[in-house]
């Protein structure tokens, strides 16, 4: 259910920015989602299709870009990426790590049409 709330936020952001430029419609929205976030692309798309109906965002394409998790080893200070699951530091084997990236979720860009021109 938490995807509904974040999808509503994406819609609000897109409508606000489209309104600021007096857009006729929103055509594309690019989202960045960290590997460690609990956001499920298919759920966001499902809710989007419902809540964007009858708005400037109806039929807008959502584009999902997943970014890897970035960790820093507290023991040796190595920064490294993990793709699937958390793992020990590849340099020292330690498990004392801090997450420095991969939990993000944000709108990277929005493409709108205004009087037939793409903005």
């Amino acid at each position: 259910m938490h995807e509904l709330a974040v999808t509503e936020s994406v819609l609000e952001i897109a409508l606000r920015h489209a309104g600021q430029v007096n857009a006729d419609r929103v055509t594309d929205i690019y989202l960045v989602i960290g590997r460690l976030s609990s956001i499920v692309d298919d759920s966001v798309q499902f809710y989007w299709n419902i809540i964007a109906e009858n708005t400037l965002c109806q039929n807008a394409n959502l584009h999902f870009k997943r970014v890897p998790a970035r960790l820093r080893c507290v023991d040796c200070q190595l920064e490294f990426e993990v793709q699937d699951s958390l793992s020990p530091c590849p340099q020292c084997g330690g498990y004392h790590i801090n997450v420095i990236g991969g939990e993000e979720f944000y709108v990277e860009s929005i493409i709108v049409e205004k009087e037939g021109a793409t903005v």
Side-chain angles (χ1 to χ4, degrees):
M1 261 323 244
H2 116 279
E3 277 87 355
L4 175 57
V6 297
T7 308
E8 288 173 332
S9 294
V10 170
L11 179 62
E12 186 274 323
I13 291 166
L15 290 173
R16 181 169 18 100
H17 288 280
Q20 288 173 351
V21 297
N22 296 317
D24 294 323
R25 74 184 198 100
V26 175
T27 61
D28 296 271
I29 300 173
Y30 292 83
L31 303 171
V32 175
I33 306 171
R35 288 255 179 241
L36 298 177
S37 75
S38 59
I39 306 295
V40 178
D41 302 5
D42 289 342
S43 294
V44 172
Q45 185 67 62
F46 172 79
Y47 287 123
W48 180 259
N49 293 340
I50 295 168
I51 67 171
E53 193 172 328
N54 299 319
T55 72
L56 292 178
C57 293
Q58 184 171 336
N59 299 320
N61 296 307
L62 298 181
H63 304 271
F64 300 93
K65 179 169 97 177
R66 285 282 176 175
V67 295
R70 294 220 23 96
L71 308 174
R72 179 182 299 121
C73 179
V74 174
D75 298 324
C76 72
Q77 299 304 308
L78 177 72
E79 290 185 14
F80 59 100
E81 289 184 2
V82 292
Q83 293 296 324
D84 296 319
S85 61
L86 295 180
S87 56
C89 174
Q91 182 167 288
C92 72
Y95 283 93
H96 194 201
I97 55 177
N98 290 327
V99 175
I100 58 173
E103 298 177 308
E104 46 277 278
F105 178 73
Y106 61 89
V107 176
E108 183 175 52
S109 62
I110 301 168
I111 298 176
V112 299
E113 283 184 357
K114 182 177 178 180
E115 298 178 23
T118 302
V119 180

